[in-house]
Amino acid sequence: MAKEWTLLVLCGILGTGFSEKPSWFGNISTSLFKSPGDILIGGLFPINELTSELSKRVKPDDLECNSISTYGLSLALAMKFCLDEINSKPNLLPGITLGFESYDTCMQPAVVMRPVLQLLTRESTEELDVACNYTDYKPRVIAIIGPNSSELVPVIGKLIGFFLMPLISYGATSDMFSDKETFPSFMRTVPSDRWQVVAMVQLLKVFGWNWVSVVGSDDEYGQKGQQQFSSMANEESICVAYQGLIPVYSDSEQAVNEILNHIVDAKVGVVVVFSTPKPAREFFIQVIKRNMTAVWVASTAWALNDIVSTLPGISSIGTVLGFADITRPLDLFTSYIRELFTKMEETQIPQEPDTEISPLDNPCPRCSYLSQANVSMVEMSVVQRSAFSVYTAVYCVAYALHDLLGCNATQCALNPRTDNVYPWQLLRSLQNVSVDFEGVKFMFDKEGNPNFGYDVMQWNFNDSTVHFDIIGYHYQNLTINKNNIKWHTINGKVPMSTCSSDCGIGQVRRVKGFHSCCFDCIDCKEGTFLNNSDDIQCKSCPAGQWSTLRSTSCVYPIYTFLDWSNYESVGLILGGILVLASNVWIGALFFMHRGTPLVKTAGGPLSGLMLLSLAGACISLVLFLGQPGDIVCRLQQPLSAFFPTVALSVILTISLQIVCITEFPEKSSDHLENMRGRGSLFVILGCCGVQAGLCGWYAQEAPSLTQYVASLEVTYVKTFLRCPVEPMLNFGLMLGFNVVLALVSFMATFMALKPPGQYNLARDITISTLSYCVMWVMFIPIYTSLNDKDKSIAQVGVSLLSNIGLVVTYFLPKCHLLVKHPELNTDDHFRTFLEGVPPTPPEES
């Protein structure tokens, strides 16, 4: 982009860098506003300023423009410079000389009509013909350069458009002139205000300013610019807190003060000023008086104008960011003017200026006194930029004539001295002209607008002087170097201008009042989300997804489980290892003493079955760890319930033997052997069969993990997933059956008499079954009050505790006897339980 806009160093700047003046400088004419030629080009420039009051106008000519505008005069001289340069080029229009006639517009619609009518008169006459067909009408000039103001184009544009005479403005930026049905011959070398509005809105968005005021001058330029800005700002969610218009043709002080009051009340930090220079000056005079500070966004009309930038105290208003048409300096222009004024100074004849002469003959009688001292007027930044636009417009006409006349480097196919060349023919050539300015092509689009944009400027204050520094550029898109901006604020940081602070992620705006930029921020609740900051309400999550507070999207839930590396899992694994180690040690000890009275009393081979079942119960608990699956969940609860049933059924058989011995002593010796053999087997198989049936029923009725997860109502983003414990009735029956076995064993032994001088086997069973019952009864209320994760941990923990309780209370006393008192491992010490001899109650003394 930067390469593209190095453009515009036009081919007229060929003398750059040479110390010697171009040879054609010797042919400069001192006639400032008219020059003869084979083809004439008209010029409309604000050479003078209005010095009379419009309100007192009675006659059409009651207008006085007697104050020279150095800005407008400089632009008129830029056109003269350009045409002199073109005429010096032998290969652009060989054998053809371009002349010109420049007139004063006085920046007034009532004044501009006279020179326009003059320019439309028939060639070489002072008459404006009335005809039925103007196709062959050949007016005085073939094209008009100007005017500089959008205020004047509606007055003359339609009239000139009737003749299809090219009207190429170097300063009228209103977008309404892009309408080719209304202004068919209008073209310009400055961008349309539509693009300026786009650039302004993009500038506001870059810095996050969405609460602004916009002030315009009460004329065509300001009104249209304000309307376009407000419309586009609204489309980009930028709120215009206040809009005001500065009077142009009446006293503005009271109106400006009202505007400033509204700006203060709106509490905005950024004000867009879309105004022509004079209303902008009146506006900032009051701003300075009030000592107001803000960020002022300047339109091209006043951004570089010295009548605003040289106001006393202007440095106190804050930060000014403005837009200026992209341009490059005309290096020969200043040298040309110096040479021109030197010649004028040498040929001056002291005389009083003739104030009675018609403005059409001499728009600036006092200009004959121009001298070297006046050269500085063309060196101002605003003049250089506008002069470049004039320069471009004239060169486009010259190149279009080059194409229209069929010229090559040595001659032209058509000769305007003998061949008729009409403005409407030139208009077609201009619409297709493509001028190569040092490698970059300049052209008009179908609406007559140029193919380039703006420089973004900042006003930097140095004492009483304002420097205009380029901080970026805009052509279709805005490019800003934020590091080059010096913010004239207290802390030197980017100022804020928002009605409400931006909502955070996952917050929806609830508008308050009439402006969409003023709002409260409401958090999106769980189960809702906001993925577009422009949405006015949070959206509900789709089925199967959920979100947390202030979410921008919904997600499928994440399921956690008792991972092997969790602290809880490690603790349970260590507990299981402890139980297994105990079982192995006890099993080994019992195996070493197999056949001894103690081992026979403890159940003999059945004690080994009991130890194996307890080990199996311990191992089955690993199904609670790791990621669950359909098969794991089918086996988890049945196995954890079935293995303890085996151990408890063994204890039950021994308890029944004790009941037989203590309650039926006369028959115990006859039936004890059967009870220890087939009877025990039948009891164990019966108990295990019942539990197996309960477990099978549970597995049949319980849903698979896949079905369970699919049926869950998702109201979470992350949760613990355990195997479904459903139906609860079946789950309770499995655990309850084991408790019933333990309870029956407890009731069968807790009243049994202790054999005097013998081992008390009933005591071991009573304590072990009691501990088992207590643990699982306490488990019920604890289990129901826990969350899913803690329920799994609690069930595994209680299972381990109940298993180790059985091992400690039933087997440990026997192991103690085997290890510490092996001499007691005799038939006499276990006679009651081995032979079925009932215990003798101790004699009372």
Side-chain angles (χ1 to χ4, degrees):
M1 190 72 179
K3 180 180 179 182
E4 180 178 349
W5 298 121
T6 54
L7 115 74
L8 308 176
V9 182
L10 301 177
C11 43
I13 314 177
L14 296 177
T16 304
F18 292 92
S19 58
E20 295 183 2
K21 295 178 291 187
S23 59
W24 59 272
F25 272 23
N27 301 323
I28 295 176
S29 167
T30 58
S31 176
L32 302 183
F33 305 109
K34 290 186 179 181
S35 177
D38 300 318
I39 298 176
L40 293 183
I41 298 175
L44 299 174
F45 301 97
I47 299 172
N48 294 289
E49 296 178 357
L50 184 67
T51 55
S52 61
E53 294 185 25
L54 290 174
S55 59
K56 296 181 179 180
R57 181 186 178 207
V58 178
K59 299 177 183 180
D61 286 342
D62 284 348
L63 290 169
E64 294 182 5
C65 301
N66 297 325
S67 176
I68 296 177
S69 167
T70 57
Y71 171 74
L73 176 59
S74 298
L75 299 187
L77 296 178
M79 177 170 163
K80 171 179 169 57
F81 157 68
C82 185
L83 286 168
D84 283 348
E85 184 179 74
I86 290 171
N87 288 331
S88 72
K89 297 178 181 293
N91 57 352
L92 183 53
L93 292 171
I96 298 174
T97 301
L98 295 182
F100 67 91
E101 291 185 4
S102 295
Y103 295 98
D104 179 28
T105 66
C106 197
M107 286 287 288
Q108 297 299 321
V111 174
V112 74
M113 284 302 299
R114 286 184 292 184
V116 168
L117 291 174
Q118 176 77 3
L119 294 171
L120 291 175
T121 58
R122 182 178 288 276
E123 183 181 31
S124 303
T125 71
E126 298 289 332
E127 300 173 355
L128 180 60
D129 290 357
V130 177
C132 294
N133 189 338
Y134 284 91
T135 301
D136 297 328
Y137 183 75
K138 194 173 182 182
R140 189 183 198 90
V141 296
I142 199 167
I144 297 175
I145 307 300
N148 76 308
S149 169
S150 296
E151 190 74 7
L152 304 181
V153 175
V155 179
I156 64 174
K158 295 177 183 179
L159 175 61
I160 296 173
F162 170 76
F163 292 90
L164 291 181
M165 176 184 289
L167 178 65
I168 309 177
S169 175
Y170 51 86
T173 57
S174 175
D175 190 54
M176 69 179 294
F177 309 139
S178 297
D179 182 0
K180 293 299 102 178
E181 291 185 2
T182 307
F183 302 95
S185 66
F186 179 83
M187 310 177 88
R188 51 187 155 201
T189 55
V190 290
S192 160
D193 283 339
R194 178 180 61 200
W195 292 110
Q196 183 174 191
V197 167
V198 170
M200 286 179 170
V201 170
Q202 289 183 6
L203 177 67
L204 298 182
K205 293 187 70 175
V206 164
F207 294 106
W209 297 327
N210 63 6
W211 184 242
V212 301
S213 291
V214 55
V215 178
S217 52
D218 195 5
D219 53 19
E220 179 67 27
Y221 175 78
Q223 292 170 1
K224 292 296 182 181
Q226 187 183 76
Q227 292 172 9
Q228 285 184 320
F229 176 84
S230 298
S231 175
M232 188 166 294
N234 183 61
E235 292 175 3
E236 296 295 331
S237 300
I238 296 174
C239 296
V240 177
Y242 171 72
Q243 301 180 61
L245 291 172
I246 308 168
V248 175
Y249 302 113
S250 61
D251 183 36
S252 62
E253 182 174 350
Q254 181 179 353
V256 168
N257 280 320
E258 290 181 4
I259 291 172
L260 294 178
N261 288 337
H262 285 294
I263 291 174
V264 172
D265 292 342
K267 298 180 181 179
V268 298
V270 176
V271 181
V272 176
V273 183
F274 221 108
S275 171
T276 48
K278 285 188 177 180
R281 174 184 172 86
E282 299 303 317
F283 177 78
F284 282 103
I285 287 175
Q286 300 305 318
V287 170
I288 294 169
K289 286 182 179 179
R290 288 185 172 222
N291 198 29
M292 285 180 61
T293 59
V295 175
W296 311 95
V297 180
S299 63
T300 55
W302 69 272
L304 304 179
N305 200 289
D306 63 326
I307 71 170
V308 181
S309 62
T310 56
L311 282 172
I314 194 68
S315 61
S316 67
I317 65 172
T319 303
V320 180
L321 303 177
F323 293 87
D325 304 324
I326 285 182
T327 184
R328 293 297 178 267
L330 303 177
D331 292 341
L332 284 179
F333 183 39
T334 303
S335 301
Y336 173 88
I337 296 300
R338 184 175 290 108
E339 186 70 18
L340 173 62
F341 287 0
T342 299
K343 284 190 175 184
M344 292 179 63
E345 198 170 9
E346 292 172 353
T347 58
Q348 282 177 1
I349 300 175
Q351 61 179 15
E352 286 295 321
D354 185 359
T355 57
E356 298 299 323
I357 192 171
S358 169
L360 295 179
D361 295 325
N362 186 0
C364 183
R366 293 180 178 83
C367 289
S368 59
Y369 291 98
L370 291 170
S371 65
Q372 291 285 338
N374 303 112
V375 173
S376 60
M377 72 179 188
V378 302
E379 296 175 335
M380 297 168 55
S381 177
V382 64
V383 170
Q384 289 285 329
R385 286 182 173 269
S386 296
F388 182 79
S389 298
V390 173
Y391 188 88
T392 305
V394 177
Y395 258 95
C396 285
V397 172
Y399 276 100
L401 284 171
H402 179 90
D403 296 337
L404 178 61
L405 299 178
C407 300
N408 54 33
T410 58
Q411 62 180 5
C412 296
L414 297 178
N415 189 336
R417 302 184 192 94
T418 58
D419 300 310
N420 288 326
V421 180
Y422 299 106
W424 57 268
Q425 293 175 318
L426 178 64
L427 180 61
R428 287 191 301 179
S429 294
L430 275 168
Q431 290 168 345
N432 298 312
V433 74
S434 178
V435 185
D436 192 338
F437 294 140
E438 293 205 355
V440 180
K441 289 185 178 180
F442 172 87
M443 62 184 68
F444 297 103
D445 64 19
K446 62 181 180 180
E447 297 176 341
N449 296 314
N451 62 334
F452 58 89
Y454 305 94
D455 283 327
V456 186
M457 317 289 292
Q458 180 186 17
W459 289 18
N460 282 323
F461 307 104
N462 184 9
D463 297 329
S464 60
T465 305
V466 176
H467 297 283
F468 305 108
D469 297 330
I470 298 177
I471 58 172
Y473 58 87
H474 179 274
Y475 178 67
Q476 298 181 344
N477 290 298
L478 182 69
T479 300
I480 288 284
N481 188 338
K482 296 181 181 180
N483 296 328
N484 288 348
I485 302 177
K486 181 180 179 182
W487 298 103
H488 299 285
T489 55
I490 296 175
N491 56 11
K493 296 182 179 179
V494 180
M496 298 295 294
S497 187
T498 56
C499 181
S500 301
S501 299
D502 287 341
C503 289
I505 295 175
Q507 288 185 317
V508 70
R509 299 177 180 180
R510 179 177 293 170
V511 176
K512 53 183 181 181
F514 300 101
H515 294 285
S516 62
C517 299
C518 301
F519 47 81
D520 293 322
C521 296
I522 308 300
D523 292 344
C524 286
K525 297 180 180 179
E526 293 180 351
T528 64
F529 70 101
L530 185 74
N531 60 358
N532 187 343
S533 59
D534 294 330
D535 288 346
I536 60 174
Q537 64 181 6
C538 302
K539 300 177 183 177
S540 297
C541 290
Q545 297 183 39
W546 197 250
S547 65
T548 56
L549 187 69
R550 295 180 59 179
S551 291
T552 58
S553 63
C554 297
V555 296
Y556 288 101
I558 298 174
Y559 293 105
T560 61
F561 43 86
L562 282 177
D563 190 79
W564 294 90
S565 59
N566 288 355
Y567 293 122
E568 300 94 333
S569 300
V570 172
L572 295 175
I573 291 170
L574 292 176
I577 293 173
L578 176 63
V579 175
L580 286 175
S582 301
N583 288 352
V584 171
W585 180 74
I586 293 171
L589 186 63
F590 270 47
F591 182 77
M592 291 172 58
H593 295 83
R594 63 188 179 279
T596 62
L598 185 148
V599 174
K600 290 180 180 180
T601 302
L606 293 180
S607 62
L609 177 62
M610 183 178 176
L611 287 172
L612 287 175
S613 66
L614 291 176
C618 184
I619 294 173
S620 70
L621 296 178
V622 300
L623 297 176
F624 287 83
L625 306 181
Q627 184 171 355
D630 286 341
I631 296 177
V632 168
C633 290
R634 290 290 186 192
L635 299 176
Q636 188 185 83
Q637 295 295 346
L639 290 181
S640 65
F642 183 80
F643 282 115
T645 301
V646 177
L648 291 169
S649 63
V650 171
I651 293 177
L652 178 61
T653 61
I654 299 174
S655 300
L656 293 176
Q657 294 174 34
I658 294 175
V659 170
C660 182
I661 294 170
T662 57
E663 299 298 328
F664 307 100
E666 66 280 0
K667 298 180 180 181
S668 61
S669 57
D670 298 332
H671 300 288
L672 191 59
E673 190 64 31
N674 290 330
M675 292 184 66
R676 287 175 178 168
R678 287 177 297 179
S680 296
L681 182 60
F682 288 150
V683 170
I684 294 172
L685 290 176
C687 292
C688 291
V690 172
Q691 183 65 286
L694 293 174
C695 290
W697 185 29
Y698 174 87
Q700 178 67 29
E701 295 292 325
S704 67
L705 180 65
T706 302
Q707 294 171 334
Y708 172 73
V709 171
S711 67
L712 290 175
E713 181 182 356
V714 178
T715 57
Y716 45 81
V717 171
K718 186 177 182 179
T719 190
F720 183 83
L721 179 65
R722 68 174 188 140
C723 291
V725 183
E726 296 176 4
M728 284 298 294
L729 173 63
N730 302 44
F731 175 67
L733 288 175
M734 289 190 300
L735 297 184
F737 182 73
N738 287 340
V739 174
V740 168
L741 292 180
L743 184 61
V744 170
S745 298
F746 168 76
M747 295 176 66
T749 59
F750 84 103
M751 291 294 292
L753 295 176
K754 175 184 181 298
Q758 297 184 38
Y759 187 82
N760 190 358
L761 182 61
R763 176 200 59 193
D764 295 348
I765 295 175
T766 300
I767 296 175
S768 62
T769 53
L770 177 63
S771 66
Y772 188 91
C773 289
V774 169
M775 287 183 191
W776 283 103
V777 169
M778 291 178 61
F779 168 77
I780 295 172
I782 294 174
Y783 182 84
T784 56
S785 64
L786 297 177
N787 57 40
D788 285 349
K789 180 179 180 180
D790 292 338
K791 283 180 178 179
S792 294
I793 295 174
Q795 184 175 354
V796 175
V798 170
S799 296
L800 287 174
L801 287 175
S802 62
N803 287 353
I804 201 169
L806 290 175
V807 170
V808 169
T809 56
Y810 185 80
F811 287 102
L812 194 59
K814 300 172 179 60
C815 293
H816 179 266
L817 188 146
L818 288 174
V819 175
K820 296 294 185 179
H821 303 284
E823 70 279 2
L824 297 177
N825 190 7
T826 62
D827 291 338
D828 290 339
H829 198 66
F830 296 95
R831 184 175 302 278
T832 297
F833 300 102
L834 289 175
E835 298 177 2
V837 178
T840 303
E843 296 181 0
E844 296 182 2
S845 56

